[in-house]
Amino acid sequence: MKWKIIGKILILDEKSCNLSQSELYSLKDKFHVESIIKVGNIQGPLREPTIEVLLGSSTETIHKENGCLFKLDLSKVMWSKGNTNERLRIAKLVKDDEIVLDMFAGIGYFSIPIGVHANPKNIYSIELNPNSYNFLKTNIELNHINQKAGYERIVPILGDCRIKSKDYMADRILMGYVRTTHEFLPTAINSLNPGGILHYHETVPDKLINTRPINRIKKAAGDRDVELINLVNVKKYSPGVSHIVVDARVE
């Protein structure tokens, strides 16, 4: 049985065998959680989960990670525990007074750690899913990011990043989305200042890890020079396929 804990909720893998009520209560007591759920596939452009509540009633919780607080409802928004190190890695790369554009902000997976652990000038956080957007606003307040800065350091934006990104130019752009992320590369490149850094996520067959992602960035960049800074293998996505992140500088 595979499991993970998000806040006060125990999540079982969808392939977990059927458990009796007594077994579920034993797990609840063992892990000191309030609810137990199964999470299935993440569906559609809004990244909405399918879930089954096995014990308890609440699917809303507050999760603490890397010194940050995230309020979320697991019946409405996704949470990937496997990206924990990546979220902190990016926060530590952000330089003072940078302008950051988070194209797929969600509930603040990357924006919140940057706001807590770094000192950017602004973070423009775009999210398409209204539920995620509302939690993003809540999490900005929960971590006192704008209050501590004394101004709106994180700017939450509801909408399609292909449209909203056109209003901003950034020194660093986060593309924390997978499967069809390459379709958004032209939009990202157009909003990236000369010499800016792109953090591009892709799910890629293992045999193409060292070629396809960077070639896609170069193609989208056209006549702008692209420098590969780093390639991080975040986790296995499926058999023979990995979730990777490319750090690239675009002149």
Side-chain angles (χ1 to χ4, degrees):
M1 180 181 69
K2 294 182 179 179
W3 56 271
K4 58 186 175 183
I5 295 175
I6 305 299
K8 287 290 186 177
I9 299 176
L10 175 66
I11 301 176
L12 302 182
D13 186 87
E14 62 174 331
K15 298 177 182 177
S16 298
C17 59
N18 292 327
L19 298 172
S20 67
Q21 283 295 107
S22 61
E23 289 174 318
L24 289 171
Y25 275 105
S26 294
L27 290 173
K28 180 178 182 291
D29 293 339
K30 177 181 179 180
F31 294 110
H32 307 289
V33 295
E34 295 173 356
S35 299
I36 301 177
I37 68 173
K38 277 188 182 181
V39 176
N41 295 326
I42 305 298
Q43 300 178 331
L46 298 184
R47 297 180 283 179
E48 295 175 315
T50 56
I51 76 158
E52 178 185 358
V53 179
L54 303 177
L55 189 67
S57 58
S58 177
T59 54
E60 188 171 283
T61 190
I62 294 178
H63 181 65
K64 186 173 183 179
E65 177 187 275
N66 296 324
C68 305
L69 298 175
F70 296 90
K71 189 172 185 178
L72 70 160
D73 187 330
L74 289 166
S75 71
K76 297 177 180 178
V77 302
M78 57 169 284
W79 181 273
S80 178
K81 205 167 178 66
N83 297 346
T84 297
N85 293 335
E86 181 61 17
R87 289 189 276 263
L88 185 59
R89 182 183 80 89
I90 294 300
K92 290 182 176 180
L93 292 176
V94 173
K95 303 292 191 294
D96 289 354
D97 294 323
E98 278 189 348
I99 296 176
V100 178
L101 177 61
D102 188 350
M103 291 178 62
F104 306 94
I107 65 170
Y109 310 106
F110 289 95
S111 293
I112 296 299
I114 292 171
V116 170
H117 295 293
N119 188 36
K121 182 177 181 180
N122 281 113
I123 308 166
Y124 296 105
S125 305
I126 304 174
E127 176 51 37
L128 183 62
N129 184 328
N131 288 318
S132 296
Y133 170 75
N134 287 329
F135 281 115
L136 168 63
K137 292 195 297 181
T138 296
N139 292 330
I140 293 169
E141 295 179 4
L142 196 59
N143 290 276
H144 309 293
I145 292 169
N146 291 346
Q147 294 95 317
K148 290 178 180 178
Y151 67 97
E152 196 175 19
R153 171 168 281 169
I154 298 185
V155 181
I157 302 161
L158 177 63
D160 188 330
C161 64
R162 284 170 291 197
I163 298 170
K164 298 296 184 179
S165 293
K166 297 175 182 178
D167 296 333
Y168 306 97
M169 295 298 296
D171 305 306
R172 188 179 301 270
I173 294 183
L174 315 178
M175 302 184 73
Y177 184 62
V178 294
R179 302 212 298 199
T180 61
T181 327
H182 60 284
E183 297 175 4
F184 298 83
L185 275 169
T187 300
I189 297 294
N190 287 337
S191 291
L192 191 63
N193 286 326
I197 306 295
L198 190 68
H199 300 288
Y200 167 68
H201 291 237
E202 185 174 320
T203 45
V204 57
D206 292 341
K207 61 183 179 181
L208 298 178
I209 283 178
N210 294 312
T211 55
R212 192 177 80 178
I214 190 64
N215 286 340
R216 281 178 163 173
I217 296 173
K218 289 179 178 179
K219 182 179 179 180
D223 59 0
R224 295 177 68 175
D225 291 334
V226 176
E227 176 192 356
L228 174 62
I229 299 173
N230 196 9
L231 192 153
V232 178
N233 196 324
V234 177
K235 61 185 178 184
K236 276 291 176 188
Y237 183 77
S238 61
V241 177
S242 293
H243 172 180
I244 62 94
V245 180
V246 172
D247 301 342
R249 178 177 283 105
V250 182
E251 298 301 341

